[in-house]
Amino acid sequence: MSVLDVVALQLAAEPGNVAGNVEHLLAALRKHGAGSDLVVTPELVTTGYDLAMFDERGAELAEPLDGPTVTAVAEAAAELGTTVVLGILERDGDVIYDTAAVVLPDRSVYPFRKTHLYPDELTRFSAGQDLITVDTPAGRLGPLICFEHAFPELATTLALAGTQTLVIPSAVPIGYEYLLTLRTRARAQDNQMFAVGCNLTGGGFSGHSLIVDPSGEVLASAGAEEAVLRARLDLGVISRERNQEPALGMRQVDLYRPEAVGRLGAVTAGDQ
């Protein structure tokens, strides 16, 4: 599929109200996801994002990937024929992850566990150990989660692994929306791929989700309120941008090490 219909659901989530949040998410998914190829949701949209709450109730609120929330989203994805990127608090045994679950229309689920945790998250979540790409009916997706858009190397690694669309569930607070908007555009243009940054809103979160093309142009954007973003992504634009400026193919990785940086002494003008 070379042209995709993509939706980003910028939603609010009440901390701790999993049943209400999931009901709200499923209603939005069924209302706005019909006819789409890809739907992206915010970070931890099922539980809300509240670190103090996770200290007290994290084990209670987290769910395994075969739990009721992912199962319900998988059923909706199958009904709609769309791929869904779901932000969820995942429990695997006694370990808790901040996860983006990529749910395909055939009900298969591919979890990406946040690898680069924000400092305040280090005592609440375990860090994932792997980057992933997922081949879906909506093309090859590369997930990152919120703070991870601060690391250009992650996006470039995913681009080199064939990612066509970078999907970034986020929970960026009010006052820091510029980080979401600037970095999402930069990661898209740096690597000449599409990017979808879908952020929580309400409860201190800023919204300002956006969908960006491989040149860094914003195709759709939201303000601070709940919103549904839609855009058509022509995957052929990726190769056109990369042919025009083949930066990824011209990387010189041997130079990208601190020990490879030389220090030259000054030359005095006029010296022979």
Side-chain angles (χ1 to χ4, degrees), residues 137-206:
R140 183 170 293 180
L141 306 182
L144 296 176
I145 300 175
C146 200
F147 180 54
E148 294 184 310
H149 63 198
F151 299 89
E153 299 94 333
L154 297 181
T156 297
T157 299
L158 291 174
L160 293 169
T163 292
Q164 295 167 301
T165 303
L166 190 66
V167 288
I168 315 172
S170 296
V172 175
I174 292 171
Y176 297 92
E177 48 268 41
Y178 69 94
L179 297 177
L180 173 68
T181 56
L182 175 61
R183 289 171 175 170
T184 302
R185 293 186 65 195
R187 300 297 83 81
Q189 197 284 321
D190 286 348
N191 301 289
Q192 298 155 314
M193 59 184 172
F194 290 96
V196 182
C198 188
N199 200 41
L200 279 175
T201 190
F205 296 98
S206 68

Side-chain angles (χ1 to χ4, degrees), residues 70 74 77 83-84 101-111 134-135 137:
V70 175
T83 296
V84 180
V102 181
V103 183
L104 273 60
D106 65 3
R107 295 183 172 87
S108 57
V109 180
Y110 297 84
V134 184
D135 289 321

Side-chain angles (χ1 to χ4, degrees), residues 1-6 164-165 194 213-214 219 231-240:
M1 188 177 298
S2 61
V3 180
L4 308 176
D5 289 302
V6 174
Q164 295 167 301
T165 303
F194 290 96
D213 80 1
L219 301 177
R232 287 176 64 82
L233 311 189
D234 179 357
L235 298 182
V237 173
I238 297 172
S239 59
R240 292 198 290 273

Side-chain angles (χ1 to χ4, degrees), residues 6 9 22 35 46 61-62 68 70 77 85-86 109 132 159 164 188 194-195 197 199 204-205 222 231 244 256 269:
V6 174
L9 296 177
V22 173
T46 61
L61 297 172
V70 175
V85 180
L86 172 68
V109 180
I132 68 168
Q164 295 167 301
F194 290 96
N199 200 41
F205 296 98
Q244 176 179 288
Y256 309 154

Side-chain angles (χ1 to χ4, degrees), residues 28-82:
L29 179 57
R30 290 194 167 96
K31 180 176 181 180
H32 301 291
S36 68
D37 302 299
L38 172 65
V39 178
V40 183
T41 73
E43 180 181 14
L44 297 175
V45 69
T46 61
T47 58
Y49 185 104
D50 185 319
L51 295 179
M53 176 188 70
F54 294 144
D55 286 337
E56 296 182 2
R57 301 181 59 201
E60 166 199 343
L61 297 172
E63 294 183 31
L65 293 173
D66 60 356
T69 294
V70 175
T71 298
V73 171
E75 290 174 356
E79 291 170 14
L80 297 168
T82 191

